[in-house]
Amino acid sequence: MRWWLVCMMALVFAGIAVPYGLLGGTEPGLSIAFFWLGFGVAVAAMIALAVLRWRDVS
């Protein structure tokens, strides 16, 4: 569970730092599109992992 939270925090940080920091001064192009594509796939994978490991505590 702890590694999942760390990965999600890293994804949130990357979602802010990469497009507005690293790619912010570049021309709009495929690099930004590929970043958001990879970001979306990574977030979907993390959500799928969370759902697969879901346990009913009640």
PDB file of all heavy atoms in Angstrom, residues 7 12 17 24 26 32 35 38 45-46 48 50:
ATOM      1  N   CYS A   7       3.956   6.028  -5.490  1.00  0.00           N
ATOM      2  CA  CYS A   7       3.841   6.120  -6.947  1.00  0.00           C
ATOM      3  C   CYS A   7       2.794   7.148  -7.369  1.00  0.00           C
ATOM      4  O   CYS A   7       3.016   7.906  -8.315  1.00  0.00           O
ATOM      5  CB  CYS A   7       3.499   4.756  -7.538  1.00  0.00           C
ATOM      6  SG  CYS A   7       4.863   3.592  -7.494  1.00  0.00           S
ATOM      7  N   VAL A  12       1.432  12.564  -9.494  1.00  0.00           N
ATOM      8  CA  VAL A  12       0.856  13.906  -9.321  1.00  0.00           C
ATOM      9  C   VAL A  12       1.942  14.962  -9.499  1.00  0.00           C
ATOM     10  O   VAL A  12       1.738  15.974 -10.187  1.00  0.00           O
ATOM     11  CB  VAL A  12       0.166  14.031  -7.941  1.00  0.00           C
ATOM     12  CG1 VAL A  12      -0.177  15.469  -7.633  1.00  0.00           C
ATOM     13  CG2 VAL A  12      -1.074  13.160  -7.894  1.00  0.00           C
ATOM     14  N   ALA A  17       5.043  19.072 -12.666  1.00  0.00           N
ATOM     15  CA  ALA A  17       6.407  19.518 -12.950  1.00  0.00           C
ATOM     16  C   ALA A  17       6.804  19.356 -14.415  1.00  0.00           C
ATOM     17  O   ALA A  17       7.467  20.235 -14.977  1.00  0.00           O
ATOM     18  CB  ALA A  17       7.394  18.750 -12.066  1.00  0.00           C
ATOM     19  N   GLY A  24       7.493  23.234 -20.488  1.00  0.00           N
ATOM     20  CA  GLY A  24       6.777  24.502 -20.544  1.00  0.00           C
ATOM     21  C   GLY A  24       7.323  25.495 -21.547  1.00  0.00           C
ATOM     22  O   GLY A  24       6.578  26.238 -22.161  1.00  0.00           O
ATOM     23  N   THR A  26       8.965  24.778 -24.330  1.00  0.00           N
ATOM     24  CA  THR A  26       9.161  24.222 -25.664  1.00  0.00           C
ATOM     25  C   THR A  26       7.963  24.518 -26.559  1.00  0.00           C
ATOM     26  O   THR A  26       6.895  24.904 -26.105  1.00  0.00           O
ATOM     27  CB  THR A  26       9.357  22.687 -25.591  1.00  0.00           C
ATOM     28  OG1 THR A  26       8.184  22.096 -25.042  1.00  0.00           O
ATOM     29  CG2 THR A  26      10.551  22.329 -24.735  1.00  0.00           C
ATOM     30  N   ILE A  32       4.754  16.799 -25.810  1.00  0.00           N
ATOM     31  CA  ILE A  32       3.714  17.065 -24.807  1.00  0.00           C
ATOM     32  C   ILE A  32       2.586  16.047 -24.928  1.00  0.00           C
ATOM     33  O   ILE A  32       2.086  15.533 -23.919  1.00  0.00           O
ATOM     34  CB  ILE A  32       3.192  18.509 -24.952  1.00  0.00           C
ATOM     35  CG1 ILE A  32       4.326  19.501 -24.641  1.00  0.00           C
ATOM     36  CG2 ILE A  32       1.997  18.757 -24.046  1.00  0.00           C
ATOM     37  CD1 ILE A  32       4.002  20.939 -24.936  1.00  0.00           C
ATOM     38  N   PHE A  35       3.770  12.797 -23.504  1.00  0.00           N
ATOM     39  CA  PHE A  35       3.797  12.840 -22.042  1.00  0.00           C
ATOM     40  C   PHE A  35       2.402  12.596 -21.483  1.00  0.00           C
ATOM     41  O   PHE A  35       2.221  11.787 -20.577  1.00  0.00           O
ATOM     42  CB  PHE A  35       4.327  14.177 -21.516  1.00  0.00           C
ATOM     43  CG  PHE A  35       4.074  14.326 -20.046  1.00  0.00           C
ATOM     44  CD1 PHE A  35       4.843  13.631 -19.129  1.00  0.00           C
ATOM     45  CD2 PHE A  35       3.024  15.108 -19.579  1.00  0.00           C
ATOM     46  CE1 PHE A  35       4.577  13.734 -17.766  1.00  0.00           C
ATOM     47  CE2 PHE A  35       2.764  15.217 -18.224  1.00  0.00           C
ATOM     48  CZ  PHE A  35       3.544  14.521 -17.320  1.00  0.00           C
ATOM     49  N   GLY A  38       1.331   8.957 -21.916  1.00  0.00           N
ATOM     50  CA  GLY A  38       1.985   8.104 -20.925  1.00  0.00           C
ATOM     51  C   GLY A  38       1.467   8.348 -19.529  1.00  0.00           C
ATOM     52  O   GLY A  38       1.275   7.408 -18.745  1.00  0.00           O
ATOM     53  N   ALA A  45      -3.295   2.562 -14.997  1.00  0.00           N
ATOM     54  CA  ALA A  45      -2.688   1.340 -14.452  1.00  0.00           C
ATOM     55  C   ALA A  45      -2.683   1.367 -12.930  1.00  0.00           C
ATOM     56  O   ALA A  45      -2.960   0.339 -12.290  1.00  0.00           O
ATOM     57  CB  ALA A  45      -1.266   1.185 -14.988  1.00  0.00           C
ATOM     58  N   MET A  46      -2.400   2.516 -12.340  1.00  0.00           N
ATOM     59  CA  MET A  46      -2.396   2.615 -10.882  1.00  0.00           C
ATOM     60  C   MET A  46      -3.809   2.427 -10.317  1.00  0.00           C
ATOM     61  O   MET A  46      -3.986   1.787  -9.285  1.00  0.00           O
ATOM     62  CB  MET A  46      -1.819   3.958 -10.438  1.00  0.00           C
ATOM     63  CG  MET A  46      -0.345   4.117 -10.735  1.00  0.00           C
ATOM     64  SD  MET A  46       0.677   2.885  -9.926  1.00  0.00           S
ATOM     65  CE  MET A  46       0.470   3.346  -8.231  1.00  0.00           C
ATOM     66  N   ALA A  48      -6.181   0.669 -11.782  1.00  0.00           N
ATOM     67  CA  ALA A  48      -6.487  -0.753 -11.964  1.00  0.00           C
ATOM     68  C   ALA A  48      -5.831  -1.594 -10.873  1.00  0.00           C
ATOM     69  O   ALA A  48      -6.454  -2.526 -10.342  1.00  0.00           O
ATOM     70  CB  ALA A  48      -6.028  -1.207 -13.345  1.00  0.00           C
ATOM     71  N   ALA A  50      -5.148  -0.611  -7.866  1.00  0.00           N
ATOM     72  CA  ALA A  50      -5.870  -0.352  -6.618  1.00  0.00           C
ATOM     73  C   ALA A  50      -7.182  -1.129  -6.575  1.00  0.00           C
ATOM     74  O   ALA A  50      -7.542  -1.688  -5.536  1.00  0.00           O
ATOM     75  CB  ALA A  50      -6.142   1.143  -6.467  1.00  0.00           C
TER      76      ALA A  50
END
